[in-house]
Amino acid sequence: MGRKRTFLSVVLTMAIVMTNPIYCLAEENEAINTTTQEESVVEMTQETEPISINEEENFELNEENIDAEETLKVEDNKAETEELVEDVSDAEEIIETEEELEEAEINQSNYLYTTVSGTLGKPGDYSLLPLELTKGDYLQAKMVPPNEASVDYDLRLYDENFNLLAVSDYATVMLSGDTTIDESIGYVLQADMQVYVCVISTGNGSTSAPFSLDIAVTRNSKDMYEVDETAVKAATIEFVNYSGSSITRNINSPIDSDWYVFNVEDSPAYDKMRIGLTNNSPNGCKLEIYQNVLGNSSYYGMIKIGEGSGGELKLPAGQYYARIVGNNPMNSFDATNIGSYTLSIEPVGRVDEISITYIDGSGREFMKNYFPEGNYYKIAYYDSTYMSVIGQAYYLDEKGERHPSPNAMLHGLTINHSQLELGNNGMAYANGGGITDNMGRYQIYIPVIKGVGLRKYVSSRLTYYYDFMDIMVDSRDNLDIKAVDHFYLLSYSLNN
């Protein structure tokens, strides 16, 4: 065909011993361009409801994204694989460059990475990065496109015969100045082979703004859940009978992406979603929440609506995606201590009513027809003791019928009226907290603060010195939703 193509070949080999397993390939390599296709534009509209967040938690939300009502452009032009194969196979000259590998000693792990960049001027332009890999290698690639709304680049992986092995193809969606999502792929090599990582323009290109392409290869990967680098590979999280889910995984490279998908039902039992991330690795990671504005299709237009380490999110009914990504730079990733993270997600029910059904503590006894304040339970004070309050929280449906409120955060409080009468306000209150189970049941433990025995009751055998106590359980979201009961706190008794 008379057209010369020049492209970079980075060769990753294992011709070294296990004690020298991490290599750092040269950064700032060039990628080349060819032209194949035309551009087409599809328009769409996204409408969602606003969301809110518990400000006490560490989670930052982009409320403009979730409350957007504007036209989004999606570049939807698919380059044909056959044309790409023909262009490459007809190339008259291939220049292969072996980059020097820097060696670093790692125990029990093999990890290689490189970074390249390039520009794609127009629809159909592409850049290829050939890699020679061995069976069992886990290849991860992440491409950050130019931050321009009209640009749509896809990321693909081909085998040596240009069969498509993996693809990342998100629609370009930018709202309120937010950046478009990166394209990421993962693939476990089933045999020794040369593969081609391809960045291709399926929409408009840019001659001034480059893309960046990060490559990581993990050898002897211990992550049995891979590959899940794209939303289409997301692991489904289900909430059986409103129970939450907890998943422990790891970030095995600085460009690792772990995707999860979950549904929020149109029910007061899903009034909020409680999402948490804990990490025990020196390699940092963060949590991101996305929506697919194209709906439940095979094509994804992702907008990021929140990021951080967790919180309680008020999300409209629909489908959402959680992504865990590393936030350490490529050159500071510690492969000797991968560690793990734990992602937890659970629905939180709205609380409209709370009941107190049981009070327990040391020396618990029901005082019927004894003390003048009424028939209530008595709790005896002993050093370092706790009492507990048990009950259930409910939400009311549109018919006013009760339903258990799952995973709701409640607050317990006791008030000593004797301490208040003496002006000892600091000694009058004790607090505790708890979360309901999937049936709305709770048990809250509250410290028992020593009473003063200000009140007295004389029976036929004993004289009781006690304090009259209030016990209250309320909703953390609405302090007006509460249940109140009473009990006696016994300081001591004397024989008559």
Side-chain angles (χ1 to χ4, degrees), residues 385-404:
T385 61
Y386 281 79
M387 63 169 297
S388 66
V389 55
I390 296 170
Q392 197 165 10
Y394 308 90
Y395 67 83
L396 304 179
D397 64 17
E398 62 277 2
K399 298 179 182 179
E401 297 178 353
R402 280 178 164 187
H403 300 273

Side-chain angles (χ1 to χ4, degrees), residues 22 148 180 221 275 384 388 397 426:
I22 281 197
E148 298 180 9
T180 186
S221 173
I275 307 175
S384 302
S388 66
D397 64 17

Side-chain angles (χ1 to χ4, degrees), residues 266-282:
D266 186 12
S267 165
Y270 286 75
D271 184 56
K272 293 187 297 183
M273 300 300 295
R274 181 178 298 120
I275 307 175
L277 174 66
T278 58
N279 179 36
N280 69 358
S281 168

